[in-house]
Amino acid sequence: MQALKRTTEPKDKIEADMKKEDREKAKATKGRPVYRNGKVRFLRNVLPIIMLMLFGLMSLPLFAQMDVSVSIGANYSDNVFRLSDYDLQRFEDRHPNLEYARTTDDLSIKTKVDMAYAFRYKWYKIEPSITASFSQNVSNTEKWRKDVLARLAVVRYYWDAKLLYGYYPNIYVRDYVDTDGSGKLEQFSYERNLYRADLNVRPLKKTTLKANFRYEELFYNSYWTEYDGDAKTMGLGLRQNFPVFVLDAMYEYRIFDNWDKYPEDSSYESNIYSGTLRLKDSPLNSSKKDSPQWSPSLSLSFEERFYGGTDPKNARRIDKIYTTKAGLRFKISKQLNFTLDYSHYLRNIDSPNASVRRLKPYSENQIEAMIKYNL
């Protein structure tokens, strides 16, 4: 009996053909990202969102108070692409895979505009607000951000709630070689949507219970659509006011689902523990009535991330991410504030894959200074 002839192509060839077709469509549409099914995905235009918020704010009751602030500053990073020690050495040796990086450290110029319009309705204080921020790196000019956040807060004496939407159209990480596509260095960047809800309840005068839920969508550019996915994060926390300082503690559980699990599955689950200690405002000169105020703060967080993939890259991989932040805030006057922050990020990798252990750990230090003026 004659064997039946195979009529289906191998899965890896089908995936490669789909990816090639996606790139051809992206090229025809001037590089716009595409969905995994090949349909063109247009980036959202943030201007209509901003205009809608502005129209809503300006149409609120006249007795409400519009609060507008402008912040400008700079952020210095000693490892702007978060390269491992191995990659940092390859950069020094001028390896072609790192030629996209003009420098490994960089200075970013930042600007932020905040607008809030608080008013009262019966027993509620309602405050819609919007934040638009822009940043541009000096040496590695491909690293830039234009983000927008829209919020709606409702406040009562014993509780408050907040809804938030954030749109981040361009988050550029670094370049990688597209081994199953162009075979060249391509930008590894993505677009992010953030939906968040927060609830704070004060059962006691100096005690606040906190809960939040976040849903995020990540859409990578046309070269890396296999990394598209969504994340769900749930958090519970506590804030306690003491006579001299305020203490915050938070636990969060996060699930990231990589939609396309072939050829690699970057899905993971993580536990995140964080705490912040902030001293209350104190005068710089107690002998002066209108002396500027200052307050230091310290934040620590630890995330343990467990990957669920069975592919060689992610199987049994565990990331341990440590973050330390120390800051100083100065209230120079009612209109003018100044902040100075230091941040340290460290990622350690536990993996049976030697390449992952060599390429994925990193350490980064950041120093940021911002001036905020309330109009």
Side-chain angles (χ1 to χ4, degrees):
M1 184 176 179
Q2 187 176 4
L4 293 176
K5 185 177 180 180
R6 181 174 179 172
T7 58
T8 58
E9 297 179 278
K11 185 177 180 181
D12 57 349
K13 185 177 186 306
I14 295 175
E15 294 286 345
D17 291 343
M18 289 177 62
K19 195 168 186 180
K20 181 178 179 182
E21 182 182 354
D22 286 352
R23 290 203 182 90
E24 290 175 351
K25 291 186 178 183
K27 183 177 180 181
T29 56
K30 300 182 180 180
R32 284 190 292 267
V34 295
Y35 278 120
R36 293 176 292 121
N37 59 10
K39 295 181 180 179
V40 176
R41 174 166 53 82
F42 293 90
L43 290 176
R44 291 176 176 84
N45 188 345
V46 300
L47 184 59
I49 299 175
I50 297 176
M51 295 303 294
L52 182 61
M53 286 293 296
L54 285 175
F55 178 79
L57 293 176
M58 299 304 287
S59 63
L60 291 173
L62 295 178
F63 57 81
Q65 176 65 45
M66 170 73 81
D67 294 318
V68 181
S69 66
V70 178
S71 303
I72 58 173
N75 177 289
Y76 170 77
S77 169
D78 69 347
N79 188 4
V80 68
F81 292 105
R82 295 190 167 180
L83 303 177
S84 65
D85 290 340
Y86 175 77
D87 272 341
L88 288 171
Q89 184 59 53
R90 290 204 300 172
F91 175 82
E92 294 296 330
D93 298 336
R94 299 187 178 183
H95 192 284
N97 285 2
L98 279 301
E99 64 182 11
Y100 65 90
R102 293 178 176 87
T103 59
T104 56
D105 64 337
D106 208 345
L107 184 70
S108 175
I109 307 301
K110 308 179 76 173
T111 303
K112 183 171 68 172
V113 178
D114 293 284
M115 292 180 291
Y117 207 66
F119 66 97
R120 292 193 174 275
Y121 175 74
K122 294 184 178 181
W123 303 279
Y124 301 93
K125 178 184 176 183
I126 301 175
E127 185 177 77
S129 62
I130 188 169
T131 299
S133 59
F134 171 78
S135 66
Q136 175 65 64
N137 281 47
V138 175
S139 298
N140 300 280
T141 55
E142 295 83 0
K143 268 193 172 290
W144 57 268
R145 297 276 297 267
K146 293 180 181 178
D147 306 330
V148 62
L149 290 171
R151 310 176 195 83
L152 178 63
V154 179
V155 181
R156 288 294 305 273
Y157 182 76
Y158 291 108
W159 64 270
D160 63 83
K162 182 185 296 182
L163 296 176
L164 180 149
Y165 168 70
Y167 177 57
Y168 309 81
N170 180 66
I171 302 176
Y172 168 47
V173 182
R174 54 170 292 178
D175 282 19
Y176 288 106
V177 176
D178 185 16
T179 55
D180 60 347
S182 67
K184 302 177 182 179
L185 279 173
E186 305 292 354
Q187 285 194 4
F188 189 74
S189 62
Y190 61 93
E191 165 192 5
R192 174 175 172 243
N193 291 311
L194 168 65
Y195 308 87
R196 175 167 176 154
D198 290 84
L199 176 64
N200 300 318
V201 179
R202 284 170 288 278
L204 301 174
K205 184 178 180 179
K206 297 184 178 182
T207 303
T208 303
L209 302 178
K210 304 187 296 180
N212 68 67
F213 176 79
R214 299 197 306 273
Y215 175 74
E216 302 163 75
E217 296 174 307
L218 280 65
F219 300 106
Y220 285 80
N221 65 35
S222 57
Y223 295 101
W224 311 102
T225 54
E226 64 268 30
Y227 290 99
D228 288 358
D230 60 21
K232 304 176 185 68
T233 307
M234 296 149 282
L236 292 174
L238 173 70
R239 172 177 293 171
Q240 185 66 44
N241 277 275
F242 294 93
V244 180
F245 62 90
V246 179
L247 182 64
D248 280 275
M250 176 71 70
Y251 166 75
E252 294 178 298
Y253 176 66
R254 178 179 173 90
I255 302 174
F256 176 75
D257 181 25
N258 182 196
W259 295 332
D260 190 349
K261 295 176 173 54
Y262 180 85
E264 296 175 2
D265 182 7
S266 58
S267 301
Y268 65 82
E269 299 180 13
S270 67
N271 298 301
I272 307 170
Y273 310 88
S274 60
T276 300
L277 175 66
R278 180 179 61 83
L279 297 186
K280 295 184 177 180
D281 292 343
S282 301
L284 286 173
N285 188 344
S286 58
S287 63
K288 292 185 179 181
K289 181 179 179 181
D290 298 326
S291 171
Q293 306 280 314
W294 77 290
S295 65
S297 62
L298 176 66
S299 298
L300 302 173
S301 74
F302 169 66
E303 178 180 1
E304 193 169 25
R305 185 178 294 179
F306 302 90
Y307 285 81
T310 57
D311 56 277
K313 183 176 179 180
N314 294 309
R316 303 196 305 278
R317 172 181 167 182
I318 301 175
D319 290 10
K320 296 182 179 180
I321 305 170
Y322 304 85
T323 304
T324 304
K325 295 184 179 182
L328 291 172
R329 183 180 64 177
F330 298 89
K331 290 184 178 180
I332 301 173
S333 65
K334 291 183 178 180
Q335 287 76 34
L336 191 62
N337 293 342
F338 173 73
T339 57
L340 181 63
D341 296 299
Y342 165 77
S343 302
H344 175 69
Y345 304 92
L346 175 66
R347 181 170 72 180
N348 292 328
I349 304 295
D350 183 9
S351 171
N353 189 308
S355 178
V356 172
R357 296 197 306 270
R358 183 172 62 249
L359 295 173
K360 294 303 181 180
Y362 69 82
S363 175
E364 180 190 15
N365 296 289
Q366 291 185 12
I367 298 176
E368 180 175 286
M370 296 288 292
I371 295 177
K372 179 180 179 181
Y373 183 74
N374 298 307
L375 302 179

